[in-house]
Amino acid sequence: EPEVTQTPSHQVTQMGQEVILRCVPISNHLYFYWYRQILGQKVEFLVSFYNNEISEKSEIFDDQFSVERPDGSNFTLKIRSTKLEDSAMYFCASSVAGTRQETQYFGPGTRLLVL
Amino acid sequence: GNSVTQMEGPVTLSEEAFLTINCTYTATGYPSLFWYVQYPGEGLQLLLKATKADDKGSNKGFEATYRKETTSFHLEKGSVQVSDSAVYFCALSERNQGGKLIFGQGTELSVKP
């Protein structure tokens, strides 16, 4: 069964450093998403992406964050200058369509620790 | 704004006990409702969903009915197993065109043999 994959599974970085989290969505999916989960808190939406453009973004997704689909398979989240509060589990998801009924399929997550 | 509220955890049950995890929502339109499950060390997996009022989603013995009048989507299972131990998330999606999922805080379930 096709699945969303994410790399790396864990990343430790120093405050102020740039990180790039990578995702490979399911191949025939058209909508891509990033969510994050700070330890002990809710899963929070960051951004959705379709047709090489951001469809929607949350207040969390400020100028320090960017997303890109550099080729036909990868979908990346970049954090330009990490802060301590960026420490979280980051989940990538994808869906065939962007309708409200559509199931979003999640990857296993990247645990980011900012020191 | 739209929101989802779940019952507090952790919930600890014995094997074969009946499970209910309460979920209520606030939404301005007509959302779709989802239950996702997160097993230890894994990502979120869709457990079931319902896309309109009075729909019942079901999977692996779990059920939830979309109740518009009470704005609820409670998760139930008649007889839980140790393998059901996980964190369960209720979520809604309202907007088309790449709309986000809004999650509840998650409820941790622990089933003892």
Side-chain angles (χ1 to χ4, degrees):
Chain A
E1 186 175 328
E3 57 184 21
V4 177
T5 60
Q6 291 185 242
T7 53
S9 58
H10 293 79
Q11 178 144 7
V12 181
T13 190
Q14 296 292 321
M15 192 169 58
Q17 295 296 303
E18 174 183 287
V19 295
I20 298 176
L21 309 183
R22 291 183 167 80
C23 169
V24 179
I26 295 172
S27 63
N28 63 332
H29 287 189
L30 300 177
Y31 286 81
F32 314 114
Y33 311 82
W34 283 101
Y35 294 83
R36 78 172 185 190
Q37 184 181 27
I38 295 171
L39 191 64
Q41 297 187 23
K42 290 187 181 188
V43 177
E44 303 172 288
F45 169 78
L46 293 178
V47 66
S48 60
F49 191 84
Y50 169 71
N51 199 26
N52 283 320
E53 289 184 350
I54 290 175
S55 300
E56 186 179 2
K57 61 182 181 178
S58 71
E59 293 172 354
I60 304 166
F61 195 87
D62 61 21
D63 292 345
Q64 292 300 312
F65 291 88
S66 62
V67 288
E68 193 178 32
R69 188 151 162 85
D71 53 43
S73 59
N74 289 283
F75 179 51
T76 62
L77 174 69
K78 183 192 291 186
I79 309 175
R80 265 182 266 282
S81 177
T82 50
K83 306 182 187 69
L84 297 176
E85 55 264 37
D86 293 327
S87 295
M89 179 73 92
Y90 287 81
F91 292 106
C92 174
S94 68
S95 62
V96 173
T99 62
R100 62 178 178 82
Q101 301 95 331
E102 199 67 33
T103 298
Q104 294 182 23
Y105 293 85
F106 284 75
T110 294
R111 184 168 296 284
L112 175 66
L113 179 60
V114 182
L115 301 176
Chain B
N2 298 341
S3 66
V4 176
T5 303
Q6 287 180 237
M7 65 186 283
E8 297 266 338
V11 173
T12 302
L13 295 174
S14 298
E15 209 165 19
E16 299 183 4
F18 184 85
L19 168 71
T20 300
I21 300 178
N22 290 337
C23 171
T24 57
Y25 67 90
T26 303
T28 51
Y30 301 94
S32 293
L33 301 173
F34 303 81
W35 277 101
Y36 278 84
V37 59
Q38 186 179 30
Y39 297 104
E42 298 185 16
L44 289 88
Q45 303 174 23
L46 178 72
L47 182 58
L48 53 85
K49 69 180 181 182
T51 59
K52 60 183 189 297
D54 300 325
D55 268 2
K56 179 188 282 189
S58 60
N59 185 26
K60 301 181 182 178
F62 291 89
E63 293 183 339
T65 301
Y66 187 161
R67 301 277 187 211
K68 194 167 187 298
E69 63 276 14
T70 54
T71 61
S72 65
F73 193 54
H74 304 321
L75 182 68
E76 295 182 337
K77 187 176 185 183
S79 176
V80 293
Q81 305 300 312
V82 172
S83 57
D84 294 326
S85 298
V87 181
Y88 292 81
F89 293 92
C90 186
L92 71 80
S93 175
E94 187 172 44
R95 179 178 167 264
N96 287 334
Q97 302 301 316
K100 61 191 175 193
L101 285 169
I102 297 171
F103 286 89
Q105 65 267 43
T107 302
E108 182 181 358
L109 171 65
S110 177
V111 180
K112 308 294 185 191

